[in-house]
Amino acid sequence: MDLVLIRHPPPAIDASICYGRTDVPLAVDADESASAIAGRLAALGVPSPQQLTTSPLQRCAHLAGGLARHFDCLVGVDARLQEIDFGAWEGQRWDAIDRAALDAWAADLRHARMHGGESVEQFEARVGGWLELWRATTTAPTSHVHAVTHAGVMRMIASLALGKPLEETLKWPLEMGAVVWLRRDPGGQGWRLLHWNV
Ligand SMILES: Cc1cc2ncn([C@H]3O[C@H](COP(=O)(O)O)[C@@H](O)[C@H]3O)c2cc1C
């Protein structure tokens, strides 16, 4: 089975601001973005979705709506696909956040939650719970799950699925609106990365 993960298009927020669970609107038209992404999916040879799953945040849900109109399919919402919660850091400029707090977070990325939001460990449990849905699935080997989600979620899924440290996948470039395609072969050892950031 295949996982096709789609990052939302650009949100209307300055890149210097910290945002994770903040519900930022899209800066672009959802239907136009959906058409462009659908063209990219077709060029890759991804089968049309029969159903889409999306993060509840509008930057994803609105794109999922556009894709659902384009493909004439259903959309389901799954809160496990929401971006990490940066707590008190949400909405602050990254360069305005206390340097010592940022350093302490980077030094213990897995457990630190001095911002009062989610630790990476908590985030991993939530996102991993969603990925686990597809581990023991008995669906046909050709089945595809299409999900609209966030950069942090996609990097966490790649880390868990490919057995790579999150510190590594956090460094992989991932554009707004980018597609990631993972495949789990029947009887295979695990997931393979077919495409990253296309
Ligand atoms: C450990 C960790 C550090 C992060 N720093 C930024 N993001 C993530 O949160 C922000 C919102 O993502 P999007 O635009 O796709 O909704 C981005 O900066 C993204 O990289 C992170 C996520 C995680 C898990």
Side-chain angles (χ1 to χ4, degrees):
M1 75 156 295
D2 290 18
L3 285 183
V4 179
L5 308 173
I6 302 161
R7 189 182 182 193
H8 60 80
I13 188 164
D14 194 283
S16 61
I17 309 277
C18 171
Y19 67 98
R21 72 158 290 181
T22 302
D23 200 3
V24 187
L26 280 178
V28 294
D29 183 78
D31 288 296
E32 279 175 24
S33 297
S35 298
I37 289 167
R40 225 164 335 112
L41 292 173
L44 282 171
V46 178
S48 296
Q50 279 153 7
Q51 182 166 354
L52 287 157
T53 307
T54 182
S55 153
L57 298 182
Q58 57 179 313
R59 58 190 185 272
C60 293
H62 287 182
L63 174 69
L67 288 167
R69 284 187 286 279
H70 183 96
F71 289 111
D72 192 21
C73 70
L74 298 170
V75 182
V77 174
D78 196 314
R80 288 173 291 192
L81 293 173
Q82 188 161 297
E83 187 54 287
I84 196 166
D85 179 358
F86 288 112
W89 294 355
E90 297 271 343
Q92 287 197 53
R93 291 178 57 92
W94 282 105
D95 62 10
I97 297 168
D98 179 54
R99 188 70 240 173
L102 279 174
D103 288 346
W105 182 60
D108 187 11
L109 190 66
R110 204 170 158 73
H111 306 104
R113 55 179 296 272
M114 65 285 294
H115 48 50
E118 248 175 335
S119 69
V120 166
E121 191 171 54
Q122 291 169 328
F123 179 63
E124 177 183 308
R126 160 161 80 77
V127 174
W130 183 82
L131 183 64
E132 192 67 14
L133 289 175
W134 317 113
R135 196 171 70 85
T137 186
T138 53
T139 50
T142 52
S143 71
H144 288 65
V145 172
H146 297 69
V148 183
T149 183
H150 306 268
V153 175
M154 290 162 79
R155 291 185 168 113
M156 178 57 84
I157 289 173
S159 162
L160 293 172
L162 304 172
K164 297 200 179 289
L166 179 67
E167 286 80 356
E168 186 181 329
T169 62
L170 280 174
K171 291 186 195 134
W172 296 356
L174 189 59
E175 308 300 324
M176 304 284 180
V179 173
V180 166
W181 188 355
L182 289 156
R183 173 164 294 167
R184 187 178 183 92
D185 295 311
Q189 295 303 303
W191 295 95
R192 281 191 290 135
L193 183 61
L194 301 189
H195 293 283
W196 178 267
N197 194 32
V198 286

